[in-house]
Amino acid sequence: MSTARATVGIDDPRIRVTTWTFEQSGDSTGPHRHEYDYVVIPVTGGTFTVTNADGTTREMTQRAAAPYHGTAGTDHDVVSSSDATAVFVEVELKD
């Protein structure tokens, strides 16, 4: 399994902005726990398999420019199942 590329654009006391790029199907964020509430803004859209810490999975489809939010404490791994490159921006709200 390949690793998705994370590029941090801003990391200050209030927010962290990370662009996630999944070049191919199977690219993964790796298991992680969100410290902060966050907003995800899909750039390209794509399909993903999300595996929660308890082992349950769900399929998720992102649509370009259709943001959604998540909460602090979310514990998961996100794996691309898209045939094309998938990109999204994650904004973590530290305040």
Side-chain angles (χ1 to χ4, degrees), residues 13-88:
R14 298 185 61 210
I15 64 171
R16 181 177 328 153
V17 179
T18 306
T19 300
W20 286 94
T21 304
F22 300 76
E23 295 288 343
Q24 60 189 0
S25 182
D27 282 358
S28 167
T29 59
H32 61 281
R33 182 179 178 91
H34 288 268
E35 296 177 74
Y36 309 104
D37 289 343
Y38 59 97
V39 176
V40 173
I41 304 104
V43 175
T44 62
T47 55
F48 299 88
T49 301
V50 179
T51 303
N52 298 311
D54 65 5
T56 60
T57 62
R58 66 183 171 92
E59 299 303 312
M60 176 180 64
T61 300
Q62 292 182 349
R63 307 242 181 264
Y68 60 92
H69 63 86
T71 57
T74 299
D75 198 350
H76 61 197
D77 184 14
V78 179
V79 181
S80 176
S81 50
S82 296
D83 291 331
T85 298
V87 179
F88 62 80

